[in-house]
Amino acid sequence: MKAKRIGKGPLRGYLLEEVLAWLLRSSGFEVLTANDDKDKEPWKVLKEDKNGLLVRGRGAWHQVDALGQFRYVPPFSLPVRLSACSSRRSI
């Protein structure tokens, strides 16, 4: 069986996503995945798609590269989440 090769573009994108996740972890955030959302439809806010993680936003689902939730929730507040999206453009 011949192994599949990944192209330079997708490999760069994957590495950039991993760097973003590492930066979130090192800044005090826990990286979230679709498995972390235990709610059922219609209250579900995270889901996995063929292109990656989707987050429910205002009126639509948005693709994010990394999603982090701050480890400590401030009193009288909702959990603090930070989404990171990246894109590469050639010059």
Side-chain angles (χ1 to χ4, degrees):
M1 177 182 232
K2 190 174 181 178
K4 285 188 173 182
R5 296 190 121 184
I6 187 169
K8 282 185 181 180
L11 180 60
R12 286 179 180 161
Y14 174 75
L15 291 175
L16 190 54
E17 288 177 14
E18 289 299 314
V19 167
L20 290 172
W22 180 84
L23 286 171
L24 284 172
R25 274 189 225 101
S26 65
S27 299
F29 287 84
E30 294 176 358
V31 176
L32 298 178
T33 64
N35 296 332
D36 295 324
D37 188 7
K38 302 297 182 198
D39 291 332
K40 304 282 188 220
E41 293 291 343
W43 297 280
K44 196 166 190 63
V45 295
L46 300 175
K47 71 178 179 180
E48 195 70 32
D49 188 25
K50 63 178 182 171
N51 296 325
L53 181 64
L54 296 178
V55 178
R56 183 193 308 251
R58 293 185 178 181
W61 289 91
H62 304 277
Q63 181 184 359
V64 295
D65 294 328
L67 179 66
Q69 181 170 308
F70 198 59
R71 288 189 181 113
Y72 309 106
V73 179
F76 312 108
S77 177
L78 294 173
V80 177
R81 287 188 173 173
L82 178 66
S83 62
C85 300
S86 61
S87 62
R88 179 184 173 274
R89 304 201 194 273
S90 58
I91 297 174

